[in-house]
Each structure stands twice: as C-alpha cells, then as structure tokens.
Amino acid sequence: MDILYADNRILVCLKPAGVLSTDEPGGMPALLREALGDARACVRTVHRLDRPVGGVMVFARSRAAAALLSAQVRERRFSKEYLAVAEGCPAEPSGRMEDLLLRDTLAGRTLVVSAPGKDVQPAALSYRVLAQAGGLSLVLVSLETGRTHQIRAQFAARGLPLAGDRKYGAAREGPLALWSYRLAFDHPQTGERLTFSHLPPEEGFFAAFSGTCIFAGSGVQ
C-alpha cells in the first residue's frame, strides 16, 4: 500500500486499479489493515472508486471520523478531482456537464436520460482539457455530484468515452484511463482543510502524455 498520510483519525493512500473500495476480502480496508499490521484496526470506507479506477482515497480510522467525513461528502464540502483520458476532444477547452442519470443495475451501466423519473438523479461536473495527443485528450474533471460511473457516462454520452472503457463504447482496448488525482476535505478532528494529490503512473493511456509539463514535475495547476 502507498500510504500518503496517516494519523489516529484518517488514512490517505493510493488505491491500486482493480481493487475494491469496500470492506470485504481483498478490499482496500482489509489491505490497509494488513499494511498497518493490525487485523482489527478500524478502517472505514467513506467514499468509493470504481474497481478499475486507481488513485487517492481517504479512509476513516474511527466511527466518529467516518460520520464527519461522510457528512462532508453529502454536503459537497468534500472535493474530488480526477484525471481522465477521453477518446476525441470536447468541443470547448473547458466547461460544465449537467445531466440526468439512471442506473441500470442489471446491465451494470449508468445511462444519461432526457427526463426526470423514478431513480433518476441529477449529476454535474466541470472539466478542463490539459493536453491532446494522438486523438486523445487528457482532462481534469471536478465532480459536483458523486453518482456511480458518472464521469464515464457523461463523457460517453457526448461521444467522448474514456479510453479503455469498452462498457461505455470506447474504441481502444486497455486499462480504464481514469484516476483519482486530488482530494480536499476538512480534517474530522482539527477542522483543518487538507489537500492530497498524486499523478497516475505514466503507463497505459496516460503514457501518451508523459512528455507534457503535467508529468514533468509541476503537476496540474
């Protein structure tokens, strides 16, 4: 486990792609307990990443910390930014996407729909194109809501599926090009505003942008 920060209330780490976020055998809490050397350690999931998505996550180390962090998520005081590689290029270099989403649990997909209805939820994000290469766009995405598969569904609905996301119509095969890049939240004990960020490995579809300033030490401004 790559642990970025730990104290008696929170633990910030890098979730590997392919690992579940939830507390079950082989999931992140179990792996973190193993890394801490304490099979009974309190490690609680307060936000999730899709299984094929890697990147920065924070876990609570007490019931009270979990409740306070979860409240920040609900009240949208918990900031989440992602790096994604999309096939094609958005019409505008930056903008906002706002849609109605419906989760199809049988198909395991999230659909963009045109009208309100049962189980339909509003979803919004903002994005900024950082670089382009070989028909791909490296995009910084800031979530306003946290719906299941939200980024994947909203970009695919505009003809911009994330590279490697065959479930949502991507033409290119490979690992899903979506990474949890930056989190910001209030520490559940001190109230201090904390920010943690980490670039994705320069592999898969992200390797197409290894020569850009983003991967040259300056990160995303």
Side-chain angles (χ1 to χ4, degrees):
M1 284 287 99
D2 268 328
I3 295 176
L4 305 180
Y5 174 86
D7 61 24
N8 61 351
R9 292 291 180 267
I10 63 171
L11 191 154
V12 182
C13 65
L14 296 184
K15 171 190 170 300
V19 176
L20 291 169
S21 301
T22 47
D23 199 352
E24 51 198 288
M28 284 298 296
L31 295 178
L32 288 169
R33 292 186 191 105
E34 183 179 338
L36 294 170
D38 182 356
R40 294 188 171 186
C42 181
V43 180
R44 293 172 179 260
T45 303
V46 294
H47 68 111
R48 298 186 182 190
L49 293 179
D50 296 342
R51 186 171 193 160
V53 179
V56 184
M57 288 192 73
V58 59
F59 292 84
R61 300 190 69 183
S62 72
R63 181 178 296 178
L68 290 168
L69 288 171
S70 295
Q72 292 183 51
V73 173
R74 289 193 304 273
E75 296 162 7
R76 301 186 186 179
R77 295 184 289 117
F78 189 108
S79 173
K80 294 181 280 189
E81 292 181 292
Y82 293 76
L83 286 171
V85 178
E87 295 185 350
C89 184
E92 301 294 333
S94 63
R96 188 170 182 268
M97 297 180 182
E98 190 170 1
D99 293 294
L100 296 173
L101 301 185
L102 175 64
R103 182 68 180 162
D104 184 340
T105 54
L106 291 178
R109 286 168 47 90
T110 296
L111 308 174
V112 173
V113 296
S114 58
K118 187 177 183 294
D119 300 324
V120 173
Q121 296 179 306
L125 59 80
S126 58
Y127 72 88
R128 176 161 55 96
V129 178
L130 302 175
Q132 293 178 270
L136 301 172
S137 298
L138 178 64
V139 184
L140 177 68
V141 179
S142 299
L143 281 183
E144 297 178 30
T145 55
R147 311 305 183 197
T148 302
H149 291 190
Q150 177 179 337
I151 298 171
R152 300 165 65 181
Q154 288 193 273
F155 272 80
R158 290 161 173 81
L160 301 164
L162 303 191
D165 198 358
R166 300 303 296 273
K167 181 185 285 283
Y168 286 90
R172 308 191 191 204
E173 292 190 19
L176 175 63
L178 183 61
W179 176 265
S180 174
Y181 169 62
R182 182 156 47 205
L183 297 180
F185 54 90
D186 299 333
H187 191 283
Q189 183 174 31
T190 67
E192 179 186 0
R193 189 69 175 173
L194 301 177
T195 301
F196 298 93
S197 64
H198 201 285
L199 289 168
E202 294 180 56
E203 57 191 34
F205 294 105
F206 288 106
F209 303 94
S210 61
T212 67
C213 62
I214 294 154
F215 288 98
S218 60
V220 181
Q221 305 303 315

